[in-house]
Amino acid sequence: MTAAKPLTYETDPTSIAAGLKSSFEKASSAIDGSTVLNLAADKEDWIDTGVFVREGQEVSLLSEGVIWLSREHDIQVKGNAALWYRVGNGTIEKSAGRTTTFRAGRDGPLQLACRLAGHWLDDTGRLDPDVPPMPMEGGLTVGVAAWETAAEDGLERLAGSDDTDLARAELERLRSSRPLPKGWDHLWRVGRTDIFCESVTEGRPVLACNCTADSGIIKYPVDVALDRSTTLSWEWLVRALPSEVPENTLVTHDYLSIAVEFENGQDLTYFWSSTLPLETSFRCPIPGWEKRETHIVVRTGQEQVGTWVADRRAVLADYEGAVGGEHPGRVVGVWIIALSPFQRRNGQAEYRKIILSSDTETVEVGP
């Protein structure tokens, strides 16, 4: 087994904050409102930034820092996994990376929170009281800039005087970000990410995933009856697995999968394991997700990594065998999932010809 966790450093929040404040002052003519604040990882409350944004206004969040989930196991995340925002009482959104830019959908005060996916009760930002908080140390230093101009123009100006290099990082992220295939969107509970996009392989469209020290879930909504004839089929090309050890523990739970979501809130994920035996099933080891998610190993090992393979699953039989209890009546979503925050290895895969079907209907999820 090789240690593939990239070097991660803890920054001095005082120097980062000073650098951001100085650069905001120098670019003040492009900025309508700004602030710099520290978000402690052990605080559950939403923090009011003091910046009021207008509907349609572009806003950039520039974060630096480390949040420790376990120093013993060297499990740590950055703003791409834990920085959330909302405007007024609107819906919550997650930063797409360490830095992000968004267009406000309403007028209101901008609020920030430092939380992990899976702890939300709903999309307004209430925490689920049945999910125990995961112990976290550290925090994020976050610069907020509500722009007078277009965000790219403001970031260009800011980058010229930004010693933290966060403005340049956000410019590069914006310019390299690519859209999802038609019909897909980010699952609200996990938030936005740049690890998925539409691409082309061998002359045909695919849904591509490239994930390092990150995580994400995208969803294609469906409404298909669940019965004995219901099947999910797909083709996938896995180029790199994000784990070299069994993925069924919290500290090694890095994987690539396709999943189905049911009307009762449960989901069943079909994943490619590095070492676990075929048809192994287990509940998700991440706190909060163990209530709703079950995993089944449908491919294992390195032998077919790098080649296109096809899989087909009888969804109801899998639900009965792996989840159990009274089964739901409908499938309401198809998901693509990627996780690599624990070991911070790279995982890469491409998906195509995704079809959910039964005797009475067929949904070509695509691409």
Side-chain angles (χ1 to χ4, degrees):
M1 182 179 71
T2 60
K5 293 186 176 183
L7 178 65
T8 305
Y9 55 92
E10 292 189 77
T11 56
D12 175 13
T14 301
S15 63
I16 292 294
L20 285 169
K21 289 177 182 177
S22 175
S23 61
F24 285 164
E25 290 173 1
K26 293 174 183 177
S28 60
S29 63
I31 299 174
D32 179 47
S34 68
T35 192
V36 179
L37 65 162
N38 293 315
L39 296 182
D42 60 353
K43 303 297 184 184
E44 295 185 359
D45 296 336
W46 284 90
I47 304 299
D48 193 334
T49 64
V51 175
F52 190 92
V53 301
R54 304 183 307 274
E55 182 179 359
Q57 187 172 34
E58 291 189 300
V59 182
S60 294
L61 307 178
L62 312 175
S63 79
E64 188 60 276
V66 172
I67 297 166
W68 289 95
L69 307 183
S70 171
R71 291 183 183 271
E72 177 185 0
H73 298 288
D74 187 22
I75 301 177
Q76 53 190 264
V77 297
K78 291 180 173 287
N80 62 306
L83 177 58
W84 293 77
Y85 61 89
R86 68 183 180 189
V87 177
N89 294 319
T91 57
I92 61 175
E93 298 280 355
K94 185 182 70 66
S95 179
R98 282 190 312 148
T99 62
T100 200
T101 296
F102 67 93
R103 185 181 300 275
R106 59 191 294 164
D107 293 351
L110 176 63
Q111 298 179 316
L112 303 179
C114 187
R115 286 293 95 194
L116 298 178
H119 287 71
W120 303 115
L121 179 65
D122 56 38
D123 64 3
T124 68
R126 292 187 299 163
L127 291 172
D128 188 339
D130 294 330
V131 178
M134 186 178 292
M136 300 194 298
E137 301 177 27
L140 302 173
T141 302
V142 186
V144 178
W147 300 106
E148 283 280 13
T149 63
E152 279 205 41
D153 294 340
L155 287 164
E156 279 280 12
R157 180 161 183 179
L158 190 62
S161 59
D162 178 21
D163 292 336
T164 70
D165 213 31
L166 291 171
R168 179 62 57 187
E170 175 57 8
L171 270 175
E172 293 175 357
R173 190 201 66 80
L174 279 174
R175 291 168 178 171
S176 63
S177 183
R178 297 160 64 187
L180 297 176
K182 184 178 180 180
W184 292 86
D185 201 357
H186 302 274
L187 190 69
W188 75 265
R189 192 181 299 277
V190 179
R192 297 191 64 83
T193 177
D194 288 327
I195 64 176
F196 302 108
C197 69
E198 185 172 31
S199 188
V200 176
T201 297
E202 298 172 359
R204 64 159 296 153
V206 298
L207 196 165
C209 169
N210 190 343
C211 181
T212 303
D214 211 333
S215 60
I217 300 177
I218 55 175
K219 173 180 175 176
Y220 190 101
V222 297
D223 185 16
V224 174
L226 178 62
D227 58 34
R228 293 292 170 196
S229 68
T230 307
T231 62
L232 178 72
S233 62
W234 71 97
E235 295 181 1
W236 50 343
L237 168 63
V238 171
R239 299 185 184 274
L241 292 170
S243 179
E244 291 186 339
V245 295
E247 300 87 353
N248 56 353
T249 73
L250 177 59
V251 298
T252 61
H253 195 55
D254 298 316
Y255 68 97
L256 305 171
S257 81
I258 188 169
V260 284
E261 176 191 6
F262 303 98
E263 64 178 352
N264 63 355
Q266 294 292 305
D267 69 86
L268 190 58
T269 87
Y270 300 109
F271 84 102
W272 191 316
S273 175
S274 60
T275 55
L276 291 170
L278 288 173
E279 303 301 325
T280 298
S281 65
F282 57 94
R283 296 293 273 183
C284 182
I286 299 176
W289 289 92
E290 84 285 354
K291 299 187 301 179
R292 63 174 64 95
E293 187 161 84
T294 304
H295 303 281
I296 298 179
V297 177
V298 296
R299 295 273 171 177
T300 191
Q302 295 285 339
E303 184 177 348
Q304 292 180 301
V305 168
T307 61
W308 281 103
V309 294
D311 282 293
R312 182 182 182 90
R313 303 294 301 195
V315 178
L316 179 53
D318 285 337
Y319 189 98
E320 291 173 334
V323 182
E326 182 179 357
H327 69 77
R330 306 196 74 78
V331 178
V332 297
V334 175
W335 296 357
I336 300 294
I337 307 175
L339 271 76
S340 65
F342 301 105
Q343 301 166 82
R344 304 195 294 281
R345 299 178 60 87
N346 176 249
Q348 292 185 52
E350 293 157 23
Y351 302 81
R352 68 186 186 192
K353 298 182 181 178
I354 304 169
I355 299 174
L356 184 68
S357 64
S358 69
D359 286 346
T360 59
E361 54 190 320
T362 296
V363 178
E364 294 185 359
V365 176

